[in-house]
Amino acid sequence: ALTTELALTVAPFVVRSLDSSSPQGLANMLWSYAKLPVAPPAVVMALVAKITEQLLQHSQRPDGSPMFDAQALSNSIWALAHLKSRGMDVDALRNPQLMRFMNELAAAAARALSRPHGTLRPPGSAGEPRLAEAQRYLALVEREFSCQALVNIAWSFATLLGAACCQQPA
């Protein structure tokens, strides 16, 4: 197909441009390659490596929000799960690079979800949170991390890890 031929032709350029790509750009490229009829494994793994490298840096915007927002996180992990569902060998249990990517992505998602927690005010005098405070907190969580992003990440982990996703460490 023409799209696959084009993707293979530009693959060397994509790999060379990774250092100048934003977190959202990297996530979008990985997502785009996952949508192709045939994704070049070398490009996919180069993107995974670069995203992992950036996740390890815990980069933040001037307002303190993470450079990898919920959309970039969910697009990145969804792309790998989509590739696996189409038959590409992206077995995280056998590939340490993929497992590291998943661990760093999960840690970044946890940091993003916990960010609003620091804004909570003390509960009312009876020890119970006030309704308005709870609503404000939930609005902050939703602004940081959409329900769709959370669902995409959960589906992706389940798809990539299969039964191992539900196992508790000993």
Side-chain angles (χ1 to χ4, degrees):
L2 182 60
T3 55
T4 302
E5 185 179 330
L6 179 61
L8 293 173
T9 301
V10 300
F13 170 75
V14 168
V15 172
R16 283 194 309 271
S17 71
L18 295 182
D19 286 336
S20 62
S21 297
S22 69
Q24 189 65 52
L26 292 169
N28 289 346
M29 280 192 275
L30 186 55
W31 181 88
S32 297
Y33 273 94
K35 294 296 285 180
L36 290 173
V38 177
V43 175
V44 169
M45 292 312 293
L47 283 160
V48 165
K50 188 62 181 178
I51 291 170
T52 303
E53 177 186 313
Q54 288 198 6
L55 286 170
L56 282 164
Q57 295 172 2
H58 304 273
S59 300
Q60 294 183 340
R61 295 184 176 102
D63 69 355
S65 65
M67 293 294 281
F68 267 92
D69 62 10
Q71 186 68 39
L73 294 172
S74 70
N75 283 359
S76 298
I77 193 76
W78 179 91
L80 284 182
H82 185 67
L83 287 167
K84 181 174 183 171
S85 73
R86 291 188 23 234
M88 186 174 187
D89 183 16
V90 287
D91 188 346
L93 298 175
R94 289 191 339 243
N95 184 324
Q97 184 180 12
L98 290 173
M99 186 56 77
R100 187 172 183 205
F101 167 81
M102 292 176 66
N103 284 334
E104 292 306 321
L105 191 133
R111 283 190 302 275
L113 284 167
S114 67
R115 226 170 82 82
H117 189 74
T119 69
L120 279 176
R121 294 185 198 116
S125 59
E128 297 175 0
R130 295 177 298 265
L131 180 58
E133 180 63 12
Q135 290 171 329
R136 186 186 69 76
Y137 176 71
L138 290 174
L140 283 172
V141 170
E142 178 66 22
R143 192 173 21 199
E144 289 282 331
F145 222 93
S146 73
C147 186
Q148 182 66 51
L150 193 57
V151 168
N152 285 349
I153 290 171
W155 173 83
S156 299
F157 270 89
T159 299
L160 289 165
L161 295 173
C165 186
C166 299
Q167 295 176 358
Q168 297 292 322

